[in-house]
Amino acid sequence: MGTVISDLRYAARELRRRPAFAITAVLSLALGIGATSAVFSVIYGVLINPFPYVESERMMQIALRDSAGRFRYPGMTGNQLEQVRQARSVESAVAEDGWNLTTTDGDIPEDVVAAYISPNAANHWGTPALLGRWLIPAHPPPGQHPARVVVLGYQFWQRYYSGDPAVVGRTIQLVRKDYQIVGVMPPRFRWREADIYVPLKVRLEPNIYYGVNLRIRPGVSVAEANAELQPILEGFARQTPARYPDQFRVNLRSIVEMYARPMGPRLFLLLGAVTSLLLIGCANVSILLLVRGAHRQQELAVRAALGAARVRIVRQLLTEAVAIAVVGALLGVAIAWKGLALIVAWIPTNSFAAESVIEMNVPVLLFSTALAILTVLVFGVWPAVQLSRPDVGRVAQASSRRVIGSAQGQRVHRVMVAVQVALTLLMLTAAGAAGKGFLRLATADLGYDPQNTMSLPIPVHDGTYSTWQERSEYFERLRSVVAAMPQVVSAGTSTNATPPLNGGDAGLEILGSSVEKPVARTNFVSPEYFGVLRIPVAQGRLWTGDEIRRGAALAVINQTMARQFWPNGDALGRQFRFLNMKDEPPYSPMATGGDGWLQVIGIVSDARNDGLRNSIRPALYVPYTLKMRMFTQILVRARVPPLSILRDIRAE
């Protein structure tokens, strides 16, 4: 024991004498271990194990690929859903809808995200409830109201009920109606990122559409399911041609493909970079150990001449290598944990599936650590074995040629240096490409100013504000109350126009234009919207208060639309109309004349509306009162950090 302590003391003195060597070796190991472990942990959580659902690769969204290669996701009526359920390749199918409800049994109402699920397929997800049960099939036939029950999401249960295990059987009040709590889902069940799950009333009306999620049967390929569903959906297209492309192919997409794989190329590129960093670190440490061993040849030769046993010399050098490996590994583990937390904080929450759990992957951490330690031990022992048998008669001539000057030493040294240089060049190339792309995104001209702004969702609950007049007055009353708050600079109404990915594509008919099948991004907003986001008016004007209140048939377009559809610069005063605009009470009442010709009265500057990587699309803005949906939002620009006044806004 005393000998081991003596070796450790001597090793500590040697490393203190050469701090540059010690720090370089330790950091090379630590950075490689930490970066590799952290990045692979992200890949495992986001790509390899993104969902807690049983065989999630069999859970499909129905997508249509049109002739231009774009995906469309058609909704289905209750009758159409029943036809799809009968398909041989379909194991189960659930209808779903999303809405926000409001808790009305607390001091301040809380807006909660509700997922409405048809309770016909209890085992569709294969995930049992943490407490109680999941939604079960309701006995009334389709079209009747299901039982007023609710299943809580784990996060909502923790937040609203402080994780009370006796919550099952209690009552929660949502929009002044009592719902019995029948279950709580486990932490990773985050379907649609909902707070609560309630049974969906599947109506059989032909103009009400639902989202659909399928689970194909085991052993059925996606191609087989596509082939079976193709004629079924072609029949649906003949019934409602406006909702389908002229030509399409059914293209089922698994939830893994849709929500997990898009980040795959970037994450694997990053994994390759950090793996290269680990290998470079190991190669760097090995070269440092070889060179340091060569420089100690005379010291070891003298110790051997004075009677030091070979085992004693090997043990001493091995102790020094172990000290470097242990310190590097411990620091690497710390970097891995801290680095993973930073990566999770930097990744936008909507860039991967909400169900993904990103936590440290212990096997990978152990593997990276073991590889680094093994490298240090091997290249610490190898020169130790060579140097523990020095030629005492040639001590005076000893130099680095004794170890690394031999043919074998030179070959090993050249290979290590070549590998290190190659990996470094590869990393520099990848880093340059990634850095260039990052700078391009970071410096992209957004066309709007998102600083100190936030979006407030304003749902309209079923059976309330059903007429056009009631709803328009309700939305304006909410907007004006928020805008009058002292901490608020301005507030504007936006139904579907939150950049940088906003608006919905709509087919147009342009009066006096030869443009074939024009399509533009359509945004329903109030005139304050442009001031909130600081989008300047380039030509013309915005709507007046009176025009908004009556849902005037007037439009504002962006510069891209003006250039593409009216290249002669005469867009102002031109007229167009929507191909599929219609009154849909009580869910989406339309203003009088909303389906007629709209006149262009203004042109605003371009703002990103198709993400940061894609070009700006032609876009038009119409009064949100032209057609009012059951959901809208208020965009707020505040004088303070917006979330700091969220409670005050809720109180208002």
Side-chain angles (χ1 to χ4, degrees):
M1 183 66 182
T3 306
V4 173
I5 294 175
S6 176
D7 288 343
L8 288 173
R9 288 174 177 170
Y10 186 80
R13 286 198 302 270
E14 282 295 312
L15 295 177
R16 282 200 302 269
R17 286 173 55 195
R18 298 173 175 83
F21 161 77
I23 293 174
T24 303
V26 167
L27 288 181
S28 296
L29 295 177
L31 291 175
I33 293 171
T36 303
S37 303
V39 171
F40 187 85
S41 297
V42 174
I43 288 178
Y44 184 83
V46 172
L47 299 180
I48 300 177
N49 184 32
F51 296 107
Y53 316 126
V54 175
E55 297 183 356
S56 56
E57 67 278 0
R58 292 197 289 118
M59 297 180 66
M60 302 284 169
Q61 296 286 335
I62 298 179
L64 309 178
R65 187 186 287 270
D66 62 19
S67 55
R70 294 172 298 197
F71 286 110
R72 296 270 295 271
Y73 299 91
M76 290 188 180
T77 65
N79 287 324
Q80 291 172 345
L81 176 62
E82 287 301 320
Q83 294 182 52
V84 169
R85 281 201 185 109
Q86 305 306 315
R88 181 193 58 81
S89 58
V90 175
E91 180 179 85
S92 62
V94 296
E96 52 185 343
D97 200 357
W99 204 246
N100 285 32
L101 297 176
T102 304
T103 61
T104 50
D105 53 1
D107 295 335
I108 295 180
E110 180 177 342
D111 188 63
V112 295
V113 179
Y116 287 76
I117 307 292
S118 60
N120 57 281
N123 296 321
H124 184 76
W125 290 271
T127 305
L130 178 67
L131 300 175
R133 62 170 174 83
W134 177 244
L135 303 173
I136 59 176
H139 294 297
Q144 296 189 17
H145 289 285
R148 196 172 289 167
V149 296
V150 60
V151 174
L152 307 182
Y154 182 87
Q155 286 74 17
F156 179 78
W157 172 56
Q158 290 288 323
R159 182 179 74 250
Y160 201 77
Y161 291 101
S162 301
D164 183 2
V167 71
V168 175
R170 292 172 59 180
T171 298
I172 182 174
Q173 193 177 87
L174 301 170
V175 198
R176 300 181 178 84
K177 296 178 181 178
D178 290 336
Y179 287 75
Q180 183 185 18
I181 300 171
V182 297
V184 177
M185 297 307 289
R188 287 194 63 190
F189 191 94
R190 297 289 307 280
W191 188 254
R192 301 304 182 201
E193 301 185 52
D195 295 314
I196 59 175
Y197 304 89
V198 293
L200 173 66
K201 176 184 176 181
V202 180
R203 305 171 186 264
L204 301 181
E205 287 89 337
N207 62 336
I208 298 179
Y209 291 82
Y210 304 98
V212 177
N213 185 267
L214 306 178
R215 179 182 283 275
I216 60 176
R217 295 186 183 279
V220 175
S221 69
V222 175
E224 291 172 340
N226 287 337
E228 183 181 12
L229 292 175
Q230 182 70 33
I232 297 176
L233 268 77
E234 287 176 351
F236 297 165
R238 287 191 291 271
Q239 297 170 9
T240 53
R243 299 185 64 89
Y244 289 80
D246 294 337
Q247 296 179 342
F248 64 87
R249 301 298 302 174
V250 175
N251 193 311
L252 295 181
R253 304 183 70 192
S254 72
I255 60 173
V256 177
E257 176 188 355
M258 292 183 64
Y259 302 112
R261 289 179 185 164
M263 283 195 70
R266 284 166 284 178
L267 287 178
F268 281 120
L269 178 62
L270 184 58
L271 178 63
V274 297
T275 303
S276 299
L277 180 63
L278 176 62
L279 296 177
I280 289 173
C282 292
N284 193 38
V285 172
S286 64
I287 293 174
L288 288 172
L289 290 171
L290 285 175
V291 172
R292 184 166 180 268
H295 289 167
R296 300 182 66 184
Q297 182 184 15
Q298 286 186 314
E299 172 201 336
L300 297 178
V302 170
R303 293 178 65 182
L306 293 177
R310 179 186 179 192
V311 173
R312 183 73 178 80
I313 295 175
V314 170
R315 191 176 64 195
Q316 178 60 56
L317 296 181
L318 187 59
T319 301
E320 296 176 17
V322 168
I324 293 173
V326 170
V327 175
L330 291 176
L331 184 58
V333 170
I335 291 176
W337 288 99
K338 186 62 177 178
L340 181 61
L342 290 175
I343 292 174
V344 172
W346 287 340
I347 296 178
T349 55
N350 60 351
S351 60
F352 57 88
E355 294 89 341
S356 297
V357 174
I358 303 177
E359 57 189 8
M360 182 55 62
N361 190 285
V362 177
V364 173
L365 179 62
L366 294 176
F367 174 79
S368 302
T369 304
L371 177 62
I373 292 176
L374 181 64
T375 299
V376 175
L377 296 183
V378 168
F379 287 96
V381 170
W382 185 64
V385 172
Q386 299 293 318
L387 294 169
S388 64
R389 296 180 297 179
D391 186 353
V392 179
R394 301 179 60 188
V395 169
Q397 301 176 2
S399 69
S400 61
R401 292 189 300 273
R402 178 68 179 87
V403 175
I404 63 174
S406 65
Q408 182 181 6
Q410 287 180 349
R411 283 196 299 270
V412 173
H413 187 259
R414 284 197 297 267
V415 169
M416 289 181 179
V417 172
V419 170
Q420 193 172 16
V421 170
L423 290 174
T424 302
L425 290 175
L426 180 63
M427 282 190 64
L428 288 174
T429 302
K436 183 178 179 181
F438 175 78
L439 289 175
R440 184 171 61 251
L441 292 179
T443 59
D445 181 12
L446 299 178
Y448 65 95
D449 180 12
Q451 188 68 27
N452 274 4
T453 60
M454 68 175 172
S455 167
L456 302 173
I458 307 295
V460 177
H461 301 300
D462 199 7
T464 61
Y465 306 106
S466 55
T467 69
W468 181 90
Q469 188 68 31
E470 290 175 340
R471 194 170 300 177
S472 63
E473 292 175 353
Y474 172 60
F475 286 161
E476 175 55 25
R477 186 165 66 250
L478 290 177
R479 188 206 64 79
S480 60
V481 166
V482 173
M485 294 178 64
Q487 309 98 321
V488 173
V489 177
S490 57
T493 305
S494 163
T495 299
N496 64 339
T498 305
L501 188 64
N502 54 278
D505 289 339
L508 308 175
E509 179 185 355
I510 300 177
L511 190 64
S513 173
S514 60
V515 178
E516 186 175 352
K517 295 183 177 180
V519 175
R521 288 279 166 102
T522 304
N523 304 270
F524 294 82
V525 301
S526 71
E528 296 84 4
Y529 167 87
F530 303 98
V532 171
L533 295 180
R534 296 178 177 169
I535 301 175
V537 178
Q539 290 179 256
R541 65 176 180 88
L542 302 176
W543 315 283
T544 64
D546 177 67
E547 289 168 341
I548 282 288
R549 282 189 292 273
R550 59 185 173 86
L554 302 172
V556 174
I557 64 176
N558 69 350
Q559 292 172 318
T560 296
M561 182 171 177
R563 284 192 303 268
Q564 290 190 15
F565 295 168
W566 295 283
N568 296 327
D570 56 347
L572 292 180
R574 293 297 189 115
Q575 292 182 305
F576 65 87
R577 65 182 176 186
F578 295 106
L579 294 180
N580 298 307
M581 178 74 76
K582 60 181 179 180
D583 190 21
E584 297 176 308
Y587 300 103
S588 299
M590 183 178 66
T592 303
D595 55 351
W597 295 99
L598 282 72
Q599 184 179 21
V600 177
I601 62 169
I603 301 174
V604 295
S605 297
D606 282 337
R608 294 280 176 176
N609 58 10
D610 195 23
L612 299 181
R613 290 181 173 83
N614 301 323
S615 301
I616 295 174
R617 303 276 296 275
L620 60 93
Y621 302 86
V622 296
Y624 76 94
T625 50
L626 194 67
K627 184 176 182 180
M628 288 178 294
R629 303 175 185 177
M630 291 187 68
F631 177 89
T632 192
Q633 57 188 330
I634 298 175
L635 298 184
V636 177
R637 175 173 293 278
R639 295 183 173 87
V640 295
L643 294 181
S644 67
I645 62 172
L646 185 56
R647 182 177 177 84
D648 295 335
I649 292 177
R650 282 178 176 168
E652 289 293 334

